[in-house]
Amino acid sequence: HVQLVESGGGSVPAGGSLTLSCTAHGLIYRRYCMAWFRQAPGKEREGVAAIYPSGNSADYVSFAEGRFIISRDNGKNTLSLQMNSLEPEDTAVYTCAAVVNNCGHYALENPGVFEYWGQGTQVTVS
């Protein structure tokens, strides 16, 4: 039974930082591309960042480039998203996702390829 469990969400003032975590259970974690998505109220879900199985390469969408850092620990089955210089527009539910055989910008633009999803964690920037 595969589970992705996010944590670390909360409220933060504009300009602040927040780090999200995702712990994976029930899968061979090192084989999976991992990604963060977000969905703001009234908007479609959008990709944020994806990291390849080895952790040596990652891709970001434009709004995340230079502000967010995605990382993973394959020994602990964890995924992180460090978010800096947060803006009210970053307010959303952030969700981690896992997929084999896809990654990078293609996967971020095609969320339907992801096999597993977490429940999400709320981030509010005011």
Side-chain angles (χ1 to χ4, degrees):
H1 177 59
V2 175
Q3 272 191 308
L4 302 179
V5 182
E6 300 96 339
S7 62
S11 296
V12 61
S17 299
L18 202 61
T19 298
L20 307 180
S21 297
C22 170
T23 302
H25 305 273
L27 51 70
I28 304 175
Y29 184 71
R30 66 182 183 276
R31 295 184 180 176
Y32 283 79
C33 168
M34 299 298 297
W36 288 99
F37 287 81
R38 72 182 189 182
Q39 187 167 19
K43 295 187 177 181
E44 291 189 359
R45 180 173 54 194
E46 60 183 349
V48 177
I51 187 166
Y52 285 76
S54 68
N56 290 337
S57 183
D59 287 321
Y60 298 84
V61 298
S62 58
F63 67 76
E65 191 80 55
R67 294 193 302 135
F68 295 0
I69 300 172
I70 189 172
S71 61
R72 65 189 294 162
D73 185 333
N74 286 350
K76 296 181 179 179
N77 286 15
T78 57
L79 175 73
S80 296
L81 184 68
Q82 179 181 337
M83 304 185 293
N84 302 310
S85 302
L86 285 163
E87 304 166 351
E89 293 73 22
D90 295 314
T91 295
V93 175
Y94 286 71
T95 305
C96 61
V99 64
V100 173
N101 297 327
N102 273 291
C103 209
H105 287 292
Y106 175 82
L108 290 172
E109 295 166 4
N110 294 277
V113 305
F114 283 85
E115 301 167 56
Y116 303 108
W117 294 83
Q119 291 299 308
T121 186
Q122 176 71 46
V123 173
T124 303
V125 185
S126 59

